[in-house]
Amino acid sequence: MIINHPLLGPRDAAEFVIKGDASLIDRPDWQIENAAEAFHEYLFLRDNPAGEHRELWYHEQGDRSWLVVTRNTLTHEVTRVEMARDVARKARA
């Protein structure tokens, strides 16, 4: 599988380590009233979708960047690759 890194261009997926669902970028606020429940859901509950899914990937064998990769879990087709920092900034705005 080839991942088209936004800065480095096409790279083999073997250079990366998948770190899980991209929703991990949105960490709950520890000061909210139901923080324990929110963190339980954040840490332990995961979807296992068939089809398009956004995932966090770490470029371990390269520039050590974090990416959000949108790929089809059935076909492994990569449809979008974004820098995780850009995704996190958009979520805050």
Side-chain angles (χ1 to χ4, degrees):
M1 185 169 69
I2 300 296
I3 296 175
N4 192 15
H5 193 293
L7 302 176
L8 305 175
R11 314 301 294 178
D12 190 283
E15 295 182 13
F16 297 85
V17 177
I18 188 168
K19 293 294 188 173
D21 192 321
S23 67
L24 294 174
I25 290 175
D26 300 322
R27 180 182 292 190
D29 182 356
W30 64 274
Q31 296 178 335
I32 61 175
E33 186 175 325
N34 63 339
E37 181 181 332
F39 271 95
H40 172 78
E41 291 177 11
Y42 173 79
L43 292 170
F44 300 111
L45 302 181
R46 299 280 184 267
D47 291 333
N48 189 16
E52 191 168 278
H53 185 61
R54 295 177 74 201
E55 303 165 327
L56 281 172
W57 288 66
Y58 178 63
H59 196 191
E60 184 176 58
Q61 302 293 320
D63 67 344
R64 309 261 192 241
S65 60
W66 286 87
L67 304 176
V68 174
V69 176
T70 305
R71 75 177 178 98
N72 187 310
T73 59
L74 298 173
T75 65
H76 298 292
E77 176 189 9
V78 175
T79 56
R80 185 172 184 166
V81 180
E82 305 167 88
M83 299 298 293
R85 68 170 182 243
D86 296 340
V87 173
R89 286 179 184 154
K90 286 179 193 174
R92 283 189 228 136

